Amino acid sequence: MMLWFAVFLFYRGAYGTAAFLTTWGVFIKGYPVLLAVGLIVLAITRGAGKRAVFGAFLATAINTIPVLPYLKDALIGTQFRANLFAATWYNHGFRNTVHTLFPQASEVGRVVLAALALVVTLLAWWMLKSTSKKGPVSVLWLVMFATAALGTMIGYSSFSVSYNLIEIFPGALILVGSQSRMGDSLHFSDRQKNFLGLRWLVSHWRNFLCSV
């Protein structure tokens, strides 16, 4: 919930606090890294770069200075955990998804799916930036970017356990109920809006089943 509170604060214009919380989240677990970078860069484009960078720097200092002698060990442990793999039903990483169908291509598939998810994240960020140029931040595209950014990193992990999905649930619930607004933003027809809503509903229903 800390990450989504940060998203809310960013929408309210508290760019420094949002950067602080998302950066802090990166040090707890690396999944928010794309979200943190995206929000900081967006804050810079909106003339609030100093606040955002200071917030990120403060969170980094608090989390690293007390443990400087152990950073090397922490990096080794992080690399080990990122590549730890288990082919089990509650692993929802991209690698396990591909391994279920094509075991020999699991690592390549992980990279390909992560790259596609990253493209979606970047497109969502660009739409967020484009629709927020001359006014308030677009709630819809802010939620879309945050959900895609978190989902990309959760999927990239070789061993992503079910409880990780809770990180994307707030965004997923909002998006499921916003297919009409999203469709208007993308100039979709009514049929395309309905298909988008159905696709999101089925996808997030499966996520819910996988997390319980």
Side-chain angles (χ1 to χ4, degrees):
M1 293 307 295
M2 179 178 73
L3 298 177
W4 286 100
F5 183 55
V7 170
F8 171 75
L9 290 176
F10 189 92
Y11 170 72
R12 298 288 295 177
Y15 303 118
T17 308
F20 176 85
L21 290 176
T22 51
T23 305
W24 190 289
V26 171
F27 285 97
I28 296 175
K29 217 164 188 179
Y31 298 133
V33 63
L34 293 179
L35 176 62
V37 172
L39 293 184
I40 291 169
V41 174
L42 186 61
I44 292 173
T45 66
R46 296 178 66 84
K50 290 182 179 180
R51 282 186 284 162
V53 171
F54 177 76
F57 174 80
L58 184 60
T60 301
I62 292 174
N63 280 277
T64 57
I65 291 177
V67 293
L68 279 176
Y70 310 104
L71 285 183
K72 183 178 180 180
D73 294 334
L75 290 174
I76 294 173
T78 300
Q79 292 175 352
F80 171 79
R81 179 60 181 83
N83 294 303
L84 180 67
F85 177 66
T88 180
W89 68 269
Y90 55 82
N91 179 1
H92 302 297
F94 295 143
R95 182 175 178 180
N96 192 50
T97 300
V98 179
H99 183 273
T100 303
L101 302 173
F102 308 102
Q104 301 297 329
S106 61
E107 182 58 30
V108 174
R110 171 200 186 191
V111 174
V112 171
L113 291 179
L116 291 174
L118 180 60
V119 170
V120 173
T121 301
L122 293 174
L123 289 174
W125 184 89
W126 182 257
M127 288 298 296
L128 172 60
K129 178 179 179 296
S130 300
T131 55
S132 306
K133 280 183 177 179
K134 299 180 179 180
V137 173
S138 168
V139 176
L140 181 62
W141 286 107
L142 179 60
V143 171
M144 181 66 193
F145 164 68
T147 306
L150 292 170
T152 297
M153 294 305 299
I154 289 173
Y156 181 73
S157 175
S158 288
F159 189 39
S160 188
V161 185
S162 302
Y163 57 74
N164 289 332
L165 296 177
I166 198 171
E167 293 190 28
I168 64 173
F169 276 172
L173 291 173
I174 293 172
L175 291 174
V176 165
S178 304
Q179 71 268 21
S180 181
R181 291 185 60 193
M182 178 67 78
D184 289 339
S185 181
L186 295 172
H187 307 293
F188 279 1
S189 66
D190 288 340
R191 180 175 296 181
Q192 289 172 318
K193 291 178 187 177
N194 291 334
F195 177 78
L196 176 65
L198 179 62
R199 178 67 183 86
W200 275 350
L201 181 62
V202 171
S203 175
H204 298 315
W205 176 71
R206 291 173 60 195
N207 286 340
F208 174 77
L209 288 181
C210 290
S211 67
V212 296

